[in-house]
Amino acid sequence: MKKITIAIDGFSSTGKSTLAKHLANHFGYTYVDSGAMYRTVTLYAMQHGLIDENNFDKEKLISHLKNIEISFIFNKALGFAEVYLNGVNVENEIRSLEVSNHVSKVAAVSEVRSKLVEQQHKMGKNKGVVMDGRDIGTVVFPDAELKLFLTASAETRAKRRFNELKKRGDNVLFEDVLKNVEERDYIDSHRKDSPLVKADDAKEIDNSNMTKEDQFEIAKNLVDKILESQK
Ligand code: CDP
C-alpha cells in the first residue's frame, strides 16, 4: 500500500506527540518529534553557556551548529525513537521546564531552522512518516497528504504539561508552566521565520474536551479515507 506523510502542528502541549506516536504505531510509520530537535539544540546551548535567563549568544550558537549532531534511535521497550545529542541520549533532559523556557528563542533563529529542516526532509523523503511540530504542514512538508492542526485552551494545556512534569518528579509550579505555555505560544506564532500558523488545508481539532482515544479515532479515519482513495 502507498504510504503518505502526516503533518501534525499546533500549540505547545496540545497532545501532538501522543497522537503522532499512536498513528505511527497503528500504521507502521516512523514518528519524528521535530520539537525534540529544537529542544536538543537548546540543551547544547545551555550546556555551553550560550543561553540563560538574561543572555543569548546567537552568533556563537550559529558558529557551533556544525558541532551539533542529532540522531534518533528506536527504543523497543518505549515504542518510539529517543533523541541523542552527539551520541548521548538526552530524551529525558530535553523535557525539563528549563529547556522549555529557552527553546522558543533558539527556534526563532533561521540558521537553526534551516539545519533542522534539512534533516527533517531527509527523514521524511520516503513517506510513511508522522512528524509533529509547528511548521510541518506549512514549511517542512507543504505537500503532506494529511495535515492536522491541534488546539486546546492554554489552561487545559498547562494542566496536561504540569501533570507530565510532576509525574517525572520535577518540582514545578503550575503558574510557571502556564506562563511558559503562553510565552511559547506568543514567540512561536510571532517569529519571522516559519511562524506557527494553521496551513490553509489543515484540519483543525480542538481537543480540550476530547479523550486521547476520541482524537485518535478522528485522525485514523482521516488517514483511512486518504489511503482508500489512493487505491
Ligand atoms: O511538546 P511541546 O508542545 O511543549 O513542544 P515541542 O513540540 O517539544 O517544541 C518545543 C519548541 O520547539 C516549540 O515551542 C517551538 O519553539 C519549537 N519548534 C519549532 O519551532 N518548530 C517545530 N517544527 C517544532 C518545535
Side-chain angles (χ1 to χ4, degrees), residues 9 11-14 16 33-36 38-39 95 100 103-104 107 113 120 132-136 161 184 188 191:
D9 289 304
F11 295 99
S12 66
S13 315
T14 38
K16 299 181 297 291
D33 177 353
S34 72
Y38 291 94
R39 286 175 176 275
R95 310 285 167 194
S100 296
V103 65
S104 289
R113 303 204 71 81
Q120 288 154 12
D132 75 335
R134 301 293 185 286
D135 58 344
I136 311 305
R161 185 50 51 98
R184 278 199 289 141
D188 292 347
R191 68 182 176 222

Side-chain angles (χ1 to χ4, degrees), residues 12-198:
S12 66
S13 315
T14 38
K16 299 181 297 291
S17 67
T18 306
L19 177 62
K21 279 177 197 158
H22 201 163
L23 287 171
N25 283 337
H26 181 84
F27 289 100
Y29 284 16
T30 302
Y31 164 55
V32 181
D33 177 353
S34 72
M37 300 170 76
Y38 291 94
R39 286 175 176 275
T40 301
V41 175
T42 305
L43 180 68
Y44 178 97
M46 287 162 60
Q47 288 171 341
H48 290 78
L50 307 179
I51 197 163
D52 59 33
E53 292 71 42
N54 309 312
N55 301 298
F56 176 23
D57 195 341
K58 207 165 104 178
E59 293 313 316
K60 205 160 185 184
L61 176 63
I62 293 169
S63 75
H64 276 234
L65 282 176
K66 56 182 181 312
N67 307 326
I68 303 179
E69 197 212 77
I70 299 171
S71 49
F72 287 94
I73 301 181
F74 192 78
N75 179 323
K76 255 195 183 162
L78 293 175
F80 63 88
E82 294 181 295
V83 66
Y84 286 70
L85 166 60
N86 293 333
V88 177
N89 185 329
V90 291
E91 180 63 36
N92 194 42
E93 247 178 306
I94 59 160
R95 310 285 167 194
S96 70
L97 185 57
E98 204 187 347
V99 171
S100 296
N101 283 336
H102 297 314
V103 65
S104 289
K105 290 173 269 177
V106 170
V109 179
S110 290
E111 287 81 357
V112 171
R113 303 204 71 81
S114 49
K115 175 185 166 93
L116 300 188
V117 170
E118 190 187 333
Q119 192 175 348
Q120 288 154 12
H121 280 157
K122 283 187 191 145
M123 291 189 280
K125 73 176 187 320
N126 296 326
K127 292 192 176 276
V129 70
V130 188
M131 197 175 289
D132 75 335
R134 301 293 185 286
D135 58 344
I136 311 305
T138 50
V139 174
V140 183
F141 297 124
D143 298 329
E145 288 83 353
L146 178 63
K147 298 181 187 178
L148 300 173
F149 191 84
L150 305 190
T151 62
S153 71
E155 281 275 329
T156 305
R157 295 186 280 120
K159 261 185 217 151
R160 289 176 186 160
R161 185 50 51 98
F162 177 71
N163 290 337
E164 265 171 35
L165 289 166
K166 279 285 181 196
K167 218 166 145 188
R168 279 165 45 107
D170 290 7
N171 188 16
V172 290
L173 294 174
F174 177 74
E175 299 89 85
D176 291 340
V177 176
L178 178 62
K179 187 167 160 251
N180 173 258
V181 161
E182 290 175 339
E183 268 175 15
R184 278 199 289 141
D185 284 357
Y186 185 85
I187 304 177
D188 292 347
S189 358
H190 288 82
R191 68 182 176 222
K192 268 209 197 92
D193 190 345
S194 318
L196 167 63
V197 281
K198 179 179 161 298

